[in-house]
Amino acid sequence: MPEQTSGQAPAAAWAPVGRPLLSLALTSMMDAVGAHSGAVYLRPGDAPVLEMAVMAGLPRSFAAPWERVGLSAPIPVAEAVRERRLVWVGGQEDMARRYPRIAVVLPYPFALVALPVATASRVYGAVFLTWPGSHPSELSDRERRELTSACERLALRLERAAARNHAVLAESDLLEAGPLGGVSDTLGSLEAARMVARLPYGMCSLDLSGRVGFANAAASELLGVPVGELLGSQLWASVPWLNDPMYEERYRAALISQDATSFVALRPPSEWLSFRLYPSTTGISVRISRARAVSEMRPAAPRPGDAPTRLVSMSQALSMAGALTETVSVRDVLGLIADEIAPAVGCQALALLGTRAGRLRVLGHHGYPDPHSVERFDGLPLSAPTPGTHAVAHGVPAFFDSREQLERLYPARHVSPDGFAAWAYLPLIASGRPVGACVLAYAEARRFSTHERAVLASLAGLIAQALDRALLYDVKHQLAHGLQAALLPPSLPSLAGLEATARYLPATRGMEIGGDFYDLVPSAPLPAAVIGDVQGHNVTAAGLMGQIRTAVRAYTTVGQAPGEVMRSTNRLLIDLGSELLASCLYLRLDPARGRAVMARAGHPPPLLRRPDGRVRVLDLAGGPLLGIDGTATYPTTEVELGGGCVLALYTDGLIERPGVDIEDAVADLGGRLGAAGDRPLEELADELVGHYATAEERIDDVALLLLRPREDE
């Protein structure tokens, strides 16, 4: 990307209002609550992004990874807008726990608040403010009132500006910086300068951007750089052996935390110097002296000609790397690129490409007005003359500054425009092999600078690692679901006089397959139902589950009684030599008589809801788990199952929750069955699985089988 000068806001599509509205509002908020830095974000129209419009108190480079963020990004300003509420982060530990990506880039003690700038009908943007780590861990009521009121007033001003067709221009950042190298002509200031010049140790003054505003003769001698070369430059840029991210990081730590920090550095060839940084809201005073004996390992000295380290690029890489490690599926990777990386690099559309059997595959895309303009490339042979196939097949990046440049090299694009004017085709290489390509499309022609190409290439490497993992995950996920679908009945048979429905939810740990099963067997003369649970959430458990289900069907078909079906299945499990155990509940159904005969092997008791809404726990007699004792017997119990009743069979994943007594969990399930039992069976099943169906994490499988005799048959 083109480099941005610290302290200058990036160009944005806003027209001026006529005065620095945002800067005045921001500094007023900071003064009211004693914050030492902050920023205002604006939302351009209805776009799902926030753009930093002005920052105060710290260099913009500190917030470089978040200058332009998607509304879905897991950061405080985006969360404040999404949920339309104040978001408070009380310190370093709180930040690391809730927003680990920010904590990786800014691992310093500071507190932060974010608020939406919104009216009842529209969100205009957001504000964040920061305090040093010494701020109390809670925001006071006065601070909340001040900030909430200030954001409401700012939103009303922006609303009035919009009503007059006056949008708001991104403003110059506010840094407290005095004249570089100058001193006042007052006697007191002159005498102070003379006093500092006479000190036996070095003294430097840095502004908020790290530029040297004053250095005494001792500092010049210790650093080995004339005062004239120090003034106006960043310390780590003018002193070659300080050109190390570790030293610049100490400067950032001092400014953000507002705590004194120190470090030692080796001045080649053998002299160690001690640096002590004393920060304030206007800059940093640095004391430099010769260090005592230092035992630390010497850092590698920078090579002559090395360019100054760019903190912005390092921060962006850290932030993106942390975000990409959280992705799981290809959809996650695409969503992250769309929500966070695309806004950061300024592109308006993107596509993820992969390969299969020598052909190009479009894994996903975002931002294209006409999806067909991307999807039509799906299935092309890798030998086809397109920039996408070339990037995937040969692993060579390609940057096209304009449509003319692209069409000159690929004439076929004349007849297939996608509405964009510049493109970056980034090959994704993982473990030395191409796994795909990422296409970034820009609305306007642009020149890709050397720095921007390097940044995009670095991001492509991070994306490649995430995509490689995601492709493996998706294959495993598809395999697991295919296996589970093959082992469970695709649908339940229709039985005379009986309604039935079922639900199955895999555990979210492991391979997302498990040993829970259910079945409804339309045997003659009476049908049967079964539900069971084999230990484990892996291929072994799923395979054994399939064998048990098949065995139960076979024993039912040959006419064995319920107790004998259990005994036969138990002996089979022991004969198979598996170390896994299984619970099971088997029913022989007689809808015409309104009766059911049940046999139980260590399975949770079924629930019976009567027509009057009362629910009974059928604590049936039974035998041990299948697979323990080859001589075990399984007594049977006959229960009433008349018209209007609902019988709920389930596995323990539906009732077991950490910290909840099993009897209380069964009672809770019975209460929900009693309250919703008159609803259609499909709705009732959805109600009973409840939050399990949408939970991001399930520690166990869940199976549910509901049976209801039809009253009209």
Side-chain angles (χ1 to χ4, degrees):
M1 287 182 296
E3 298 181 8
Q4 293 174 355
T5 303
S6 179
Q8 294 299 318
W14 308 95
V17 167
R19 58 176 184 155
L21 169 64
L22 304 179
S23 301
L24 291 173
L26 179 59
T27 54
S28 174
M29 280 186 255
M30 292 170 60
D31 291 342
V33 297
H36 83 292
S37 73
V40 177
Y41 285 83
L42 293 176
R43 183 181 182 184
D46 294 325
V49 297
L50 294 172
E51 296 177 345
M52 187 180 290
V54 64
M55 187 168 182
L58 289 175
R60 183 175 288 240
S61 61
F62 285 22
W66 310 287
E67 281 200 40
R68 193 169 189 267
V69 299
L71 289 185
S72 60
I75 65 173
V77 287
E79 185 175 315
V81 170
R82 289 196 305 270
E83 301 182 9
R84 286 198 171 215
R85 66 177 180 88
L86 180 149
V87 175
W88 168 250
V89 184
Q92 189 174 14
E93 292 184 5
D94 196 16
M95 183 70 77
R97 183 177 66 255
R98 295 166 56 194
Y99 306 101
R101 300 183 196 174
I102 297 178
V104 166
V105 181
L106 301 174
Y108 317 117
F110 68 97
L112 179 146
V113 69
L115 302 94
V117 177
T119 62
S121 59
R122 181 178 174 184
V123 175
Y124 290 92
V127 168
F128 81 75
L129 302 177
T130 69
W131 291 261
S134 57
H135 187 282
S137 59
E138 297 295 334
L139 199 64
S140 70
D141 291 340
R142 183 193 69 80
E143 289 171 326
R144 286 178 178 269
R145 289 194 301 271
E146 291 277 3
L147 294 174
T148 302
S149 299
C151 287
E152 289 173 352
R153 290 194 297 271
L154 177 57
L156 290 174
R157 294 189 184 106
L158 293 173
E159 185 176 54
R160 286 197 293 268
R164 299 169 186 160
N165 292 323
H166 292 164
V168 180
L169 178 70
E171 300 167 10
S172 296
D173 292 343
L174 304 173
L175 295 177
E176 294 287 343
L180 296 178
V183 293
S184 171
D185 58 0
T186 64
L187 180 61
S189 296
L190 286 172
E191 187 56 35
R194 290 172 184 152
M195 179 193 72
V196 173
R198 292 192 292 264
L199 292 175
Y201 45 79
M203 291 294 294
C204 288
S205 175
L206 309 182
D207 68 10
L208 294 178
S209 297
R211 295 189 299 266
V212 178
F214 173 85
N216 66 359
S220 173
E221 180 182 353
L222 289 169
L223 296 174
V225 178
V227 171
E229 294 182 19
L230 290 172
L231 297 180
S233 67
Q234 292 176 318
L235 192 61
W236 47 88
S238 58
V239 182
W241 45 272
L242 286 179
N243 180 24
D244 188 305
M246 178 182 71
Y247 305 140
E248 193 176 356
E249 186 272 339
R250 292 289 80 203
Y251 156 77
R252 296 208 304 168
L255 272 189
I256 293 177
S257 67
Q258 290 292 292
D259 288 332
T261 63
S262 60
F263 64 88
V264 292
L266 176 66
R267 175 185 170 181
S270 59
E271 185 175 21
W272 287 92
L273 298 181
S274 173
F275 293 78
R276 183 73 171 169
L277 283 62
Y278 300 92
S280 75
T281 56
T282 60
I284 291 180
S285 297
V286 183
R287 171 178 167 165
I288 309 169
S289 60
R290 287 182 173 85
R292 296 177 180 177
V294 177
S295 59
E296 292 90 344
M297 183 180 294
R298 296 182 178 186
R303 296 186 301 272
D306 278 356
T309 302
R310 287 189 52 80
L311 274 180
V312 172
S313 297
M314 182 176 68
S315 300
Q316 288 174 333
L318 283 170
S319 179
M320 298 307 174
L324 285 165
T325 59
E326 299 175 9
T327 58
V328 176
S329 65
V330 173
R331 178 178 294 182
D332 291 342
V333 175
L334 180 70
L336 178 69
I337 300 172
D339 293 342
E340 299 191 39
I341 296 181
V345 301
C347 72
Q348 284 70 49
L350 65 99
L352 269 183
L353 308 178
T355 63
R356 189 184 306 133
R359 293 185 175 273
L360 186 73
R361 296 299 176 194
V362 178
L363 303 177
H365 55 82
H366 175 83
Y368 287 89
D370 178 13
H372 177 70
S373 64
V374 179
E375 294 166 357
R376 64 188 181 82
F377 292 105
D378 191 68
L380 280 180
L382 292 181
S383 58
T386 70
T389 54
H390 190 271
V392 172
H394 299 283
V396 178
F399 299 90
F400 301 97
D401 297 345
S402 65
R403 176 178 297 279
E404 292 75 21
Q405 188 181 76
L406 176 64
E407 292 176 349
R408 185 169 62 252
L409 294 174
Y410 297 94
R413 290 300 296 263
H414 279 290
V415 296
S416 58
D418 58 14
F420 293 97
W423 299 263
Y425 286 81
L426 308 173
L428 304 178
I429 310 295
S431 302
R433 59 184 178 83
V435 296
C438 180
V439 183
L440 305 179
Y442 297 81
E444 298 179 359
R446 64 190 291 120
R447 179 182 173 275
F448 292 94
S449 67
T450 301
H451 171 67
E452 185 171 11
R453 294 182 186 217
V455 169
L456 292 177
S458 299
L459 290 176
L462 298 174
I463 295 169
Q465 297 295 327
L467 181 62
D468 192 33
R469 293 193 307 270
L471 290 170
L472 290 174
Y473 171 83
D474 283 353
V475 169
K476 184 185 78 170
H477 189 73
Q478 292 167 7
L479 173 64
H481 280 257
L483 177 60
Q484 194 78 58
L487 294 175
L488 290 173
S491 62
L492 296 177
S494 177
L495 299 178
L498 191 71
E499 288 183 80
T501 192
R503 297 289 185 272
Y504 174 79
L505 302 172
T508 57
R509 297 181 181 178
M511 285 192 67
E512 298 191 16
I513 57 176
D516 288 17
F517 68 96
Y518 60 86
D519 204 355
L520 194 58
V521 186
S523 58
L526 296 176
V530 63
I531 192 167
D533 182 2
V534 179
Q535 290 177 322
H537 315 115
N538 51 38
V539 173
T540 302
L544 190 60
M545 173 267 281
Q547 291 176 297
I548 293 176
R549 176 175 164 249
T550 301
V552 169
R553 269 189 164 257
Y555 298 141
T556 300
T557 302
V558 299
Q560 289 189 359
E564 188 60 32
V565 170
M566 282 297 205
R567 287 193 293 272
S568 298
T569 306
N570 179 50
R571 288 193 296 268
L572 172 67
L573 189 56
I574 292 174
D575 291 343
L576 289 173
S578 172
E579 296 181 355
L580 299 179
L581 306 178
S583 69
C584 191
L585 179 64
Y586 180 88
L587 297 79
R588 184 61 54 82
L589 302 166
D590 190 348
R593 293 178 53 239
R595 313 293 292 177
V597 178
M598 305 185 187
R600 184 161 71 109
H603 200 80
L607 300 177
L608 179 65
R609 182 190 187 275
R610 300 185 182 280
D612 59 7
R614 290 184 298 170
V615 176
R616 175 187 170 195
V617 179
L618 301 180
D619 194 7
L620 312 171
L625 292 168
L626 302 178
I628 295 179
D629 181 5
T631 63
T633 59
Y634 297 89
T636 59
T637 304
E638 185 175 88
V639 299
E640 179 183 355
L641 189 60
C645 292
V646 177
L647 185 64
L649 316 177
Y650 54 92
T651 56
D652 55 11
L654 188 61
I655 55 173
E656 289 186 348
R657 297 192 297 275
V660 179
D661 184 81
I662 192 69
E663 293 184 358
D664 293 338
V666 171
D668 176 68
L669 179 64
R672 288 187 285 133
L673 175 62
D678 290 329
R679 294 164 62 177
L681 216 57
E682 296 293 336
E683 294 183 14
L684 177 58
D686 291 337
E687 171 65 25
L688 294 184
V689 297
H691 68 276
Y692 290 95
T694 56
E696 293 185 1
E697 182 170 318
R698 291 185 293 271
I699 61 175
D700 199 1
D701 310 41
V702 173
L704 173 69
L705 178 62
L706 298 180
L707 305 172
R708 173 189 280 161
R710 291 191 176 97
E711 298 184 81
D712 56 344
E713 296 190 25

